[in-house]
Amino acid sequence: NAGVMQNPRHLVRRRGQEARLRCSPMKGHSHVYWYRQLPEEGLKFMVYLQKENIIDESGMPKERFSAEFPKEGPSILRIQQVVRGDSAAYFCASSPGTGAHEQYFGPGTRLTVT
Amino acid sequence: SQQGEEDPQALSIQEGENATMNCSYKTSINNLQWYRQNSGRGLVHLILIRSNEREKHSGRLRVTLDTSKKSSSLLITASRAADTASYFCATEETGANNLFFGTGTRLTVIP
């Protein structure tokens, strides 16, 4: 029973490049959440998706960031034209549904922008 | 949006001692959850306490919730060196879809 999978685990990009982060939720989970963690800080919510729908993107920067969760395949967090301030750990979590369900976290992708 | 505040920010104890961490939040919640994060790793869910519950146990963990004070505590009894990690509280706000995480308590258990 595989847990939440994220890849890559580490990603280095130069300023101006694009970063694509992938998340495969746990089997049977249809809800995916993306969080960002800066060094020495807690996690900050970015976006909540269900299959083919963005439910809540209130934590997502308005520009350069986008997320999708297609009918088939993993959820993708895409950051265009990365800047140094985008360097962080990005965590994906999944849950079977809303309402008092714990979220299961992936190992994270550590993005470094040089 | 609310962000939980954890106290203390860092805690260092001897193996065998108990560790207590506190979390305060600001708005009404459906539930409060505690997570653990080892350095450089993902988060591991420890325990969930609903807003109508006051205390919950899981192994060496004891969590309390006081909704009138908007606070929670996590007690780890008989600590072990392997408990060394950062501990985060996270609240599921009423009507919200996501978790709001606190700033974390970094626990060091000295063997």
Side-chain angles (χ1 to χ4, degrees):
Chain A
N1 184 16
V4 178
M5 298 173 67
Q6 289 187 249
N7 67 80
R9 295 291 304 276
H10 299 273
L11 181 61
V12 180
R13 284 285 178 265
R14 291 196 180 90
R15 276 179 299 171
Q17 291 185 317
E18 179 180 287
R20 276 179 177 250
L21 288 61
R22 294 176 188 78
C23 169
S24 296
M26 282 183 72
K27 189 176 180 181
H29 286 191
S30 57
H31 298 246
V32 166
Y33 309 79
W34 285 93
Y35 294 85
R36 177 164 63 177
Q37 185 180 33
L38 296 171
E40 309 299 323
E41 293 190 12
L43 276 70
K44 299 277 175 53
F45 167 74
M46 297 181 75
V47 62
Y48 161 47
L49 310 103
Q50 295 178 26
K51 283 285 188 182
E52 301 184 276
N53 285 306
I54 296 174
I55 307 301
D56 182 352
E57 56 182 348
S58 58
M60 193 97 100
K62 294 286 185 280
E63 297 177 352
R64 303 188 297 109
F65 286 72
S66 62
E68 62 178 13
F69 189 14
K71 189 176 180 182
E72 301 291 336
S75 175
I76 306 283
L77 178 67
R78 183 179 174 212
I79 311 172
Q80 295 177 288
Q81 299 172 341
V82 295
V83 300
R84 287 224 172 100
D86 297 332
S87 295
Y90 292 83
F91 290 95
C92 165
S94 72
S95 75
T98 54
H101 287 288
E102 61 262 34
Q103 295 181 13
Y104 295 83
F105 281 80
T109 293
R110 271 147 193 85
L111 173 65
T112 302
V113 179
T114 61
Chain B
S1 67
Q2 75 160 352
Q3 180 83 27
E5 292 278 336
E6 269 130 315
D7 173 63
Q9 286 188 314
L11 179 61
S12 183
I13 58 173
Q14 293 290 138
E15 200 166 31
E17 293 181 335
N18 296 341
T20 300
M21 290 158 262
N22 302 295
C23 167
S24 60
Y25 57 92
K26 295 175 184 170
T27 66
S28 59
I29 60 172
N30 293 329
N31 63 72
L32 185 145
Q33 304 178 31
W34 284 90
Y35 287 83
R36 165 199 167 119
Q37 183 180 36
N38 286 78
S39 181
R41 308 287 291 273
L43 277 75
V44 174
H45 182 266
L46 295 177
I47 198 165
L48 180 154
I49 186 166
R50 297 172 196 266
S51 60
N52 61 354
E53 296 176 309
R54 291 296 165 258
E55 188 170 314
K56 206 160 182 180
H57 297 254
S58 176
R60 293 184 296 113
L61 305 180
R62 173 176 167 253
V63 167
T64 62
L65 178 64
D66 187 336
T67 52
S68 66
K69 294 180 179 177
K70 293 186 167 53
S71 67
S72 173
S73 68
L74 171 67
L75 169 67
I76 304 174
T77 60
S79 63
R80 305 167 182 167
D83 295 329
T84 295
S86 291
Y87 292 82
F88 294 91
C89 71
T91 52
E92 183 184 300
E93 285 184 355
T94 305
N97 298 306
N98 55 283
L99 295 175
F100 291 92
F101 281 82
T103 49
T105 293
R106 184 172 299 209
L107 174 66
T108 303
V109 181
I110 302 165

